[in-house]
Amino acid sequence: MADAGRVPPGGVMPSPLAGACSFLFVPASRPERYARALASGAHGVIVDLEDALTPGEKVTARQQLVQAFATLDAVQRGRTLVRINAEGSTWHAEDVAAVADLAWQGLGGLMLPKAESAEVLARLAAAVGPACPLVPLIESVAGLDAVDALAGSSQVLRLAFGHLDFQVDAGLACDAQEAELVPVRLALVLASRRAGLAAPIDGVTVDTQDAVRLQSDAARARRGGFGAKLCIHPTQVAAVNATFMPTPSELDWARRVLAGFAAADGGVFTLDGRMVDLPVMLLARRTVAQAGAQ
């Protein structure tokens, strides 16, 4: 799981979603699926008012979301985010108004698609109140250009990468390895680190039947410094969780490192034939924190 990160400048209290490693989309138009998504093992559930809906469904789906949210308990509400429609779209203002009401009822967060402007994030933060974290979705070259400003904006919890839309915007034609996106992903990781955020959230794997591709995508994201992945089907959740959460052997190693560091009174020591110094200890501490974040 990802690092818990810092309390954002706007004063949002630490969120359990800062340590989440799987986020499952569910269409807002299918309220009967909300509880099932929350029970899928996903650490966070994103109710989608944007791409999952046709233009004709959006108004009704927003109303369904508001009604169904009232039936969730407090823990479920805190694990739920809403992806609204982008700033400048027909539905954006009413989406923001609806989410502002949900925020006061314990909504876990708001995801903004096509995030490109810190000013827009500031307006969202003011609209939804300080208790609602924001997750900007970077989907364009303009969003990448503004990534440090977005990461440093008030109430931002984590960055997320919409790699499919980004490819279209940038005119890329990536194969399964997506080597062309390595510098883009690294930019999100480094911006998150500079802003003190938890590790960012990687994009979806669109083939829900290809377990090998899913595992490969998730493993690549973790190696590249991401701390979570977006999912589009419940069957993807377990594999994503298994990839991002520390394994029993990793957790055992981390605990032995911390014990050895304490015994050495903070000095350098040797464990399993390898030198352990302060950076290794910090990695071990992060691993133990990740395991305890859920």
Side-chain angles (χ1 to χ4, degrees):
M1 268 165 283
D3 297 341
R6 48 93 167 141
V7 179
V12 175
M13 295 299 292
S15 164
L17 297 176
C21 62
S22 56
F23 291 82
L24 177 61
F25 280 110
V26 59
S29 58
R30 302 300 298 272
E32 74 279 5
R33 295 184 183 177
Y34 296 0
R36 293 208 302 268
L38 287 161
S40 68
H43 299 148
V45 169
I46 304 171
V47 179
D48 192 12
L49 288 168
E50 195 213 15
D51 283 351
L53 307 177
T54 67
E57 293 177 308
K58 291 180 184 284
V59 173
T60 300
R62 188 192 306 120
Q63 296 168 347
Q64 291 173 309
L65 163 61
V66 171
Q67 294 168 357
F69 190 80
T71 69
L72 302 179
D73 63 34
V75 173
Q76 291 174 321
R77 293 179 185 187
R79 290 173 50 216
T80 301
L81 304 92
V82 175
R83 179 165 72 171
I84 64 173
N85 287 279
E87 196 271 340
S89 69
T90 302
W91 310 278
H92 178 79
E94 291 187 6
D95 285 354
V96 173
V99 169
D101 287 339
L102 300 182
W104 292 108
Q105 301 174 48
L107 180 69
L110 180 156
M111 174 176 277
L112 176 68
K114 302 172 180 62
E116 298 177 347
S117 166
E119 289 74 17
V120 171
L121 289 179
R123 289 199 296 271
L124 285 176
V128 301
C132 186
L134 307 178
V135 179
L137 186 57
I138 311 302
E139 301 184 277
S140 66
V141 174
L144 178 62
D145 287 345
V147 68
D148 278 304
L150 296 171
S153 295
S154 178
Q155 295 177 213
V156 169
L157 183 68
R158 305 174 75 165
L159 300 178
F161 186 31
H163 70 296
L164 299 177
D165 287 82
F166 187 92
Q167 289 179 60
V168 173
D169 185 63
L172 302 177
C174 300
D175 62 13
Q177 302 306 313
E178 297 180 1
E180 299 84 356
L181 294 177
V182 169
V184 183
R185 287 189 163 101
L186 181 59
L188 268 67
V189 170
L190 298 182
S192 297
R193 179 60 182 152
R194 285 190 291 268
L197 302 178
I201 307 162
D202 204 7
V204 302
T205 297
V206 294
D207 189 341
T208 61
Q209 303 300 312
D210 192 341
V212 174
R213 174 67 185 273
L214 174 68
Q215 199 283 327
S216 176
D217 287 352
R220 178 188 62 215
R222 188 184 185 194
R223 290 194 307 271
F226 278 71
K229 183 171 173 60
L230 300 172
C231 301
I232 58 172
H233 195 279
T235 58
Q236 297 179 323
V237 169
V240 168
N241 286 345
T243 299
F244 283 98
M245 288 191 293
T247 66
S249 61
E250 289 171 336
L251 186 56
D252 174 70
W253 169 85
R255 287 170 172 161
R256 290 191 295 121
V257 166
L258 295 181
F261 201 75
D265 198 25
V268 175
F269 67 100
T270 300
L271 178 69
D272 299 336
R274 300 183 65 180
M275 183 185 76
V276 176
D277 57 5
L278 181 61
V280 177
M281 186 280 293
L282 293 175
L283 174 61
R285 179 182 293 171
R286 185 170 64 201
T287 300
V288 171
Q290 288 170 349
Q294 295 295 329

